[in-house]
Amino acid sequence: MAEAAPREENYENSMKKMENCNKDLEKLLEEMEKITVRAAWMTYNIVTIHTNPGLANSMKRLEDSFLRCKEQVERKWQEVLQE
């Protein structure tokens, strides 16, 4: 009977370690999936830009316009907050 308690504790500890290991593996798998998707999009973007060089200029202008717009919205929002 004295040996039953340590075995149960060892079993419970082993099960907890396995659960933690499974959670860690799931998190790593999710991160790998995210990285894979990012790499795929980067590859797609590179191929698209090399296929159509004018697209890079258009994308840059679009990004610049977006940043200017974002800046204006933030500035207006700060004005509204100050009122």
Side-chain angles (χ1 to χ4, degrees), residues 8-20:
E8 287 177 17
E9 288 178 13
N10 286 339
Y11 177 76
E12 288 176 11
N13 286 340
S14 295
M15 290 305 293
K16 286 180 183 177
K17 287 179 183 177
M18 288 294 288
E19 288 175 10
N20 289 339

Side-chain angles (χ1 to χ4, degrees), residues 3-82:
E3 292 180 19
R7 285 186 182 173
E8 287 177 17
E9 288 178 13
N10 286 339
Y11 177 76
E12 288 176 11
N13 286 340
S14 295
M15 290 305 293
K16 286 180 183 177
K17 287 179 183 177
M18 288 294 288
E19 288 175 10
N20 289 339
C21 183
N22 284 339
K23 288 177 185 176
D24 290 342
L25 287 173
E26 285 178 17
K27 287 179 185 177
L28 288 172
L29 181 61
E30 286 178 23
E31 288 300 315
M32 287 302 295
E33 288 174 351
K34 289 177 185 177
I35 291 169
T36 302
V37 168
R38 274 202 239 142
W41 275 110
M42 286 173 62
T43 304
Y44 173 79
N45 288 337
I46 289 169
V47 169
T48 303
I49 289 170
H50 282 289
T51 304
N52 184 0
L55 183 61
N57 294 331
S58 297
M59 289 174 58
K60 181 63 179 157
R61 284 196 320 263
L62 182 61
E63 182 182 15
D64 291 342
S65 297
F66 168 76
L67 293 174
R68 283 193 306 270
C69 181
K70 181 180 172 185
E71 184 179 305
Q72 287 292 330
V73 168
E74 288 174 355
R75 199 175 298 140
K76 291 288 184 182
W77 181 247
Q78 289 300 322
E79 289 174 10
V80 168
L81 289 177
Q82 290 176 357

